[in-house]
Amino acid sequence: VQSSGTTIKYALSRPANVTIRLYDVSGQLVRQLLKAEKKQKGVYYVSWDGQDHGGQELANGVYLCEVRATPTGGGEEERKFRRIAVYRK
């Protein structure tokens, strides 16, 4: 992630409520980008500026991004995790 941030891409095969959270390596929540936001089937992009929930730039390191999708019509919740590296000079 540079000062301009990064983009997180995710795809839904059916309508779902989507939550996106970012955690540090110790498992502490540092930022929530979406909270149970209703989305239709499709491909989506969410920007992250590399800051925590208080607006502070996060330290260089690896962070874990969780995308959680709960189908609106019922069914099993899906959770995906991806590592994101933050590096600033």
Side-chain angles (χ1 to χ4, degrees), residues 8-51:
I8 299 162
K9 177 183 175 183
Y10 66 96
L12 299 174
S13 59
R14 56 188 165 178
N17 293 316
V18 177
T19 299
I20 298 178
R21 293 181 178 135
L22 295 147
Y23 300 91
D24 64 17
V25 292
S26 67
Q28 294 291 329
L29 178 66
V30 295
R31 182 85 180 261
Q32 182 163 282
L33 299 177
L34 295 179
K35 183 177 179 181
E37 195 167 304
K38 187 174 182 175
K39 300 288 186 180
Q40 297 300 314
K41 175 181 172 180
V43 177
Y44 293 90
Y45 300 88
V46 175
S47 295
W48 177 46
D49 56 11
Q51 297 179 354

Side-chain angles (χ1 to χ4, degrees), residues 8-13 19-21 23 64-69 77-83:
I8 299 162
K9 177 183 175 183
Y10 66 96
L12 299 174
S13 59
T19 299
I20 298 178
R21 293 181 178 135
Y23 300 91
L64 190 63
C65 176
E66 174 194 26
V67 178
R68 181 181 293 192
E77 176 180 83
E78 291 184 45
R79 294 172 69 192
K80 303 276 183 179
F81 292 90
R82 178 182 301 165
R83 290 184 302 260

Side-chain angles (χ1 to χ4, degrees), residues 1-5 48 50 57-63 84-89:
V1 173
Q2 298 176 352
S3 301
S4 60
W48 177 46
E57 284 192 349
L58 291 171
N60 289 346
V62 176
Y63 294 85
I84 297 177
V86 172
Y87 175 74
R88 294 182 187 87
K89 290 185 178 186

